[in-house]
């Protein structure tokens, strides 16, 4: 009986640890880069604004406000 409880606790701990690792990997995958390529900007619904003084900027879409390399 004691072994079953210990085994259940170990399985529950492993399951919760696995969920934590999955959440961390998902969060790390959603980081928005500091600059994007022209293709990434347009493919994700944006347009390239070349009127900005230093670097072109992606306007609209997923990468709105990011600089374009």
């Amino acid at each position: 009986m004691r072994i079953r409880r210990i085994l259940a606790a170990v399985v529950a701990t492993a399951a919760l640890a696995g969920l934590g690792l999955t959440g961390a990997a998902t969060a790390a995958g959603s980081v928005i880069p500091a600059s994007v390529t022209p293709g990434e900007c347009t493919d994700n619904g944006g347009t390239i604004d070349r009127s900005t003084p230093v670097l072109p900027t992606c306007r609209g879409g997923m990468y709105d406000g990011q600089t374009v390399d």
Side-chain angles (χ1 to χ4, degrees):
M1 201 62 175
R2 180 183 287 181
I3 292 175
R4 286 183 188 171
R5 281 187 258 160
I6 292 172
L7 184 59
V10 168
V11 169
T13 303
L16 290 175
L19 289 175
L21 291 175
T22 303
T26 303
S30 64
V31 174
I32 297 176
S35 64
V36 295
T37 64
E40 288 173 329
C41 177
T42 55
D43 289 346
N44 290 293
T47 57
I48 300 170
D49 180 8
R50 298 189 195 289
S51 66
T52 54
V54 180
L55 292 173
T57 305
C58 185
R59 297 288 177 208
M62 185 174 153
Y63 298 114
D64 186 40
Q66 300 296 316
T67 58
V68 178
D69 287 342

